[in-house]
Amino acid sequence: MTLSLHLWLICVLPLIGAALNGLFGKRFTRQTVTAIALGFSGAAFAMASWVAIRFPSLTTPYQENLAQWIRAGSFRADFAFYLDQLSLVMLLVVTGVGFLIHIYSVGYMAEEGGFYRFFSYLNLFMFFMLTLVLANNYLLMFIGWEGVGLASYLLIGFWFTRDSAASAGKKAFIANRVGDFGFLIALFLIIKHFGSLNFAQLFATVAPLSPETQGVGLLTSIALLLTLGACGKSAQIPLYVWLPDAMEGPTPVSALIHAATMVTAGVYMIARSHAIFDRAPGALTAVAIIGTLTALFAATIGIAQTDIKKVLAYSTISQLGYMFMACGVAAYSAGIFHLITHAFFKGLLFLAAGSVIHGIGGEQDMRKMGGLRTKIPWTFWTMTAATVAIAGIPPFAGFFSKDEILWQAYSSSHGSWVYWLIGVITAFITSFYMFRLWFLTFFGEYRGAIAVEHAHAEHAGYGAHLGRDDSAVGATASHGHGGIHESPKVMLVPLVILAVLSVIGGWVGYHNIFENFLAPVFRTGVAVSAEAAQAVGSTQPHPEAGSTESLLMVISIAAALAGFLLAWFLYHRRPGLPKRIALALNGLYVAVVNKYYVDELYAILFVKPLINGSSRLLWQGIDRDVIDATVDNSAEGVRYVSDTVRHMQSGNIRSYAGWVAVGAAAIIVYMVWIGVR
């Protein structure tokens, strides 16, 4: 008897919650909205856990065909779900972390308007994300892919009365459409040349093909287009610009979408498409370069940000760069491993940041914080665990996954010491700016009143780098309760659980346990010829790997500790020194604070020309020359005809008789002509 897991239920449960709250939530009490949102998302997590328990007894990959969908000649795409080790991992991350964030949101959004709408959007996002990770073909994956983009737009712009939030939602939506264009073209190429978007059929067809080591062939073109799609969703150069602005959404949105789930969709898609990328070494190199540069670039911007959520936003972009780096050197397991640990510690960092914001009345500027470790101790200790984890200090979770990526970047046949070196430098910068955030937020004296007095002078002197609309404070000011206070238990429980996972979660990688678990996925479709094996390469370590790996591990730990010591010296021991350094660096500091003016450059090169061009096309080309011209010319034509006909009414009897004669003659001629024919 074949075991049926009913995977469709895991997807449908959050959809039911979204529909109930979305359609009827305005009539429900907040308790009812909460029960529906948590009930259906929690049921999805429980169902996913049950699937994980039954997974060892399955023959993988396990597939469930639900219904026929598209039939066009030999092409077919069905509503069907696909479960293997990779999708199981993603399933647990999406439902598990997602459920914790739902719980946290009950407290965080307790005093906000649109309570039912917020939870409807959260449930809707979970539905689309689960569809994405469980799909058995690229077309169904694309439905989930577009769906999470829609849900992200709705959640980023949740406070839609604020121009900054509405603009951020549109920016995220448009930037993702650029990447999605590449994804779609890749799907068209796959259909044309392989006739199927089904994972199992496509990868079986691709498996015997040799790697394209000479030039850009079909598989390389497909892989590069998929990479463009992944860059949009996972906020990599050049399409990363939407994610920092997405911090305009409520903090739980940042934790769920922009740390733990949606932004990792691009990494998942590349890992899922490994059979294609393995045969496109040029595309793998592109992925590695993009990830490496993004990791370093975003980390340098994070150094100078003063908005606590913006620091974490650039940190997210940087950590996604690490995942891309891992996939680019064909170390897909390492990339997914970091995806999991990142979901733990970055989700925790955002939620803890939200707890800080909640506790001090909506403030997000770290210069107006300080001394909070004794006032909000639970938030302090949980955020400390996440900070140590992301810094890569053992034995916390981030150390294991980041060290694995750096080792694979150095030792893989697709790797290079350059990737490793940039990765270590990025690890140092990451540790520095995260402990900078830690010291500024929790140590020293509370600077709120002092910072308000000097905010305008500093704002003018350093180039308007806060990037916050005053209305942002008003939107969350309701969180304040007349003084600094710890968050309610409904918010603290998810923090504690994620803190525990941030401490111990990395041990699943000990002795390659996690890599061995995913091995069946990434062995699928490996090239069979000796030539292919040589070209595709291997991520197996060199014979002398033991001592080399230990040395590289020590260097990465030293980099993390150096970042901590530098942050301690500058922001705890000598807190006045950073301002003097900023003044000394002047132009460089201003450039970093303003994110290297990339947004301004994009506005000049793309946004304004497109707006001006589209306005000319719509107004002059369509509105004026087509619509207005059609109406105006029609009216002019009617006027001309009526004026001409008017002159026929002369009032002269001889004129009328002449016209009658002409008409009669015309009729006679016509009848004679008909008769001749």
Side-chain angles (χ1 to χ4, degrees):
M1 180 178 178
T2 304
L3 176 67
S4 179
L5 297 179
H6 301 293
L7 295 176
W8 61 275
L9 272 175
I10 303 176
C11 291
V12 169
L13 285 168
L15 181 62
I16 296 173
L20 289 175
N21 278 331
L23 294 174
F24 311 110
K26 197 170 185 179
R27 307 173 191 173
F28 294 157
T29 64
R30 294 204 169 202
Q31 290 77 11
T32 303
V33 170
T34 299
I36 291 172
L38 296 189
F40 284 100
S41 60
F45 174 59
M47 189 77 182
S49 301
W50 179 79
V51 168
I53 293 172
R54 303 302 300 268
F55 186 79
S57 63
L58 298 177
T59 301
T60 55
Y62 168 84
Q63 299 195 58
E64 283 185 3
N65 293 309
L66 302 180
Q68 294 183 356
W69 184 16
I70 295 176
R71 297 289 187 273
S74 61
F75 175 79
R76 57 182 292 175
D78 295 328
F79 283 108
F81 291 139
Y82 184 94
L83 183 70
D84 61 2
Q85 289 82 354
L86 177 59
S87 52
L88 177 65
V89 167
M90 294 297 296
L91 187 65
L92 292 173
V93 170
V94 173
T95 57
V97 177
F99 180 54
L100 290 176
I101 293 172
H102 273 71
I103 296 173
Y104 175 94
S105 300
V106 173
Y108 190 86
M109 301 297 291
E111 299 176 34
E112 296 289 348
F115 190 77
Y116 74 95
R117 184 165 51 89
F118 179 80
F119 279 102
S120 177
Y121 294 164
L122 276 190
N123 277 182
L124 183 66
F125 170 82
M126 282 192 66
F127 162 70
F128 281 121
M129 191 67 197
L130 290 169
T131 301
L132 189 158
V133 301
L134 285 175
N136 90 324
N137 61 78
Y138 279 111
L139 192 58
L140 188 57
M141 174 190 276
F142 189 74
I143 297 297
W145 187 274
E146 290 297 288
V148 294
L150 170 64
S152 175
Y153 165 77
L154 295 172
L155 286 164
I156 293 169
F158 177 76
W159 287 312
F160 55 85
T161 56
R162 286 163 40 192
D163 288 340
S164 57
S167 297
K170 289 184 288 187
K171 187 175 184 179
F173 195 80
I174 293 170
N176 274 272
R177 297 295 75 71
V178 176
D180 296 348
F181 175 76
F183 196 170
L184 268 178
I185 299 300
L187 299 192
F188 294 152
L189 287 176
I190 292 172
I191 293 172
K192 176 176 175 58
H193 293 280
F194 299 104
S196 176
L197 294 177
N198 182 279
F199 295 146
Q201 295 177 17
L202 174 62
F203 298 156
T205 304
V206 169
L209 302 180
S210 298
E212 297 175 345
T213 56
Q214 302 295 326
V216 178
L218 173 63
L219 293 178
T220 302
S221 300
I222 292 172
L224 289 173
L225 289 166
L226 291 175
T227 300
L228 178 60
C231 286
K233 198 65 72 182
S234 293
Q236 298 294 285
I237 291 174
L239 299 177
Y240 71 92
V241 292
W242 66 270
L243 194 145
D245 288 5
M247 298 303 108
E248 290 290 342
T251 300
V253 174
S254 303
L256 177 64
I257 294 181
H258 308 119
T261 52
M262 173 184 149
V263 291
T264 60
V267 178
Y268 168 76
M269 186 262 282
I270 291 177
R272 174 60 71 200
S273 308
H274 68 94
I276 296 174
F277 281 86
D278 283 342
R279 286 148 191 85
L284 279 179
T285 301
V287 171
I289 292 174
I290 289 170
T292 304
L293 293 179
T294 301
L296 178 62
F297 180 77
T300 60
I301 297 176
I303 292 174
Q305 299 304 303
T306 55
D307 185 311
I308 189 171
K309 288 177 66 177
K310 286 290 180 70
V311 175
L312 298 179
Y314 283 102
S315 171
T316 297
I317 298 171
S318 181
Q319 296 303 307
L320 290 166
Y322 271 110
M323 300 176 207
F324 262 62
M325 183 198 300
C327 292
V329 299
Y332 307 105
S333 296
I336 299 299
F337 185 21
H338 197 57
L339 183 155
I340 296 173
T341 60
H342 180 263
F344 298 153
F345 60 68
K346 183 56 64 64
L348 173 56
L349 283 169
F350 271 113
L351 296 186
S355 182
V356 171
I357 295 167
H358 181 280
I360 60 177
E363 184 56 64
Q364 294 181 205
D365 188 348
M366 295 185 298
R367 296 171 302 175
K368 301 176 185 179
M369 299 179 188
L372 298 178
R373 70 184 187 279
T374 58
K375 298 178 176 63
I376 47 175
W378 284 92
T379 301
F380 166 69
W381 285 110
T382 54
M383 197 166 192
T384 299
T387 303
V388 176
I390 193 175
I393 297 175
F396 289 70
F399 161 74
F400 292 94
S401 56
K402 188 177 293 186
D403 183 66
E404 180 66 17
I405 289 175
L406 292 175
W407 167 241
Q408 295 290 358
Y410 180 86
S411 63
S412 168
S413 60
H414 287 285
S416 167
W417 66 269
V418 177
Y419 300 152
W420 172 84
L421 179 61
I422 295 177
V424 170
I425 294 172
T426 303
F428 162 73
I429 298 173
T430 300
S431 178
F432 169 71
Y433 68 66
M434 286 307 306
F435 280 109
R436 168 182 176 264
L437 178 152
W438 190 64
F439 283 117
L440 284 175
T441 303
F442 295 108
F443 290 82
E445 299 297 326
Y446 184 69
R447 300 179 298 275
I450 298 174
V452 170
E453 295 174 2
H454 299 287
H456 295 294
E458 197 165 295
H459 180 82
Y462 294 124
H465 58 284
L466 285 182
R468 290 185 71 231
D469 191 294
D470 289 340
S471 62
V473 177
T476 56
S478 61
H479 293 311
H481 296 277
I484 300 172
H485 62 282
E486 185 63 274
S487 298
K489 290 181 180 179
V490 71
M491 294 172 61
L492 293 179
V493 169
L495 294 185
V496 172
I497 294 173
L498 288 173
V500 172
L501 292 173
S502 297
V503 174
I504 67 173
W507 288 95
V508 299
Y510 189 65
H511 282 317
N512 296 322
I513 296 173
F514 187 74
E515 182 179 0
N516 293 333
F517 176 72
L518 289 182
V521 177
F522 299 122
R523 278 201 301 261
T524 303
V526 173
V528 295
S529 67
E531 177 187 357
Q534 183 179 4
V536 172
S538 170
T539 58
Q540 295 301 315
H542 301 299
E544 66 278 9
S547 58
T548 304
E549 184 174 9
S550 298
L551 175 61
L552 298 183
M553 179 180 67
V554 170
I555 293 174
S556 67
I557 295 173
L561 293 175
F564 163 75
L565 291 174
L566 181 60
W568 170 81
F569 181 74
L570 292 178
Y571 293 97
H572 188 65
R573 179 72 174 175
R574 300 282 298 277
L577 190 56
K579 184 175 291 187
R580 294 202 296 271
I581 295 174
L583 291 172
L585 294 175
N586 195 13
L588 177 60
Y589 176 78
V590 172
V592 174
V593 161
N594 287 280
K595 291 90 70 178
Y596 301 110
Y597 300 101
V598 173
D599 283 301
E600 291 79 0
L601 179 64
Y602 281 13
I604 294 171
L605 295 179
F606 304 113
V607 178
K608 290 180 180 178
L610 285 173
I611 292 175
N612 294 335
S614 61
S615 64
R616 283 195 298 268
L617 174 64
L618 293 174
W619 176 73
Q620 181 176 342
I622 297 178
D623 187 47
R624 194 180 70 179
D625 293 345
V626 177
I627 299 175
D628 287 352
T630 300
V631 175
D632 294 343
N633 292 340
S634 298
E636 181 65 22
V638 171
R639 189 195 66 79
Y640 175 78
V641 171
S642 63
D643 184 65
T644 301
V645 173
R646 179 174 59 83
H647 286 87
M648 296 173 61
Q649 307 299 321
S650 62
N652 189 316
I653 294 177
R654 286 181 299 176
S655 175
Y656 291 160
W659 282 113
V660 170
V662 170
I667 293 173
I668 292 170
V669 170
Y670 175 74
M671 294 178 68
V672 171
W673 180 70
I674 292 294
V676 171
R677 291 186 61 190

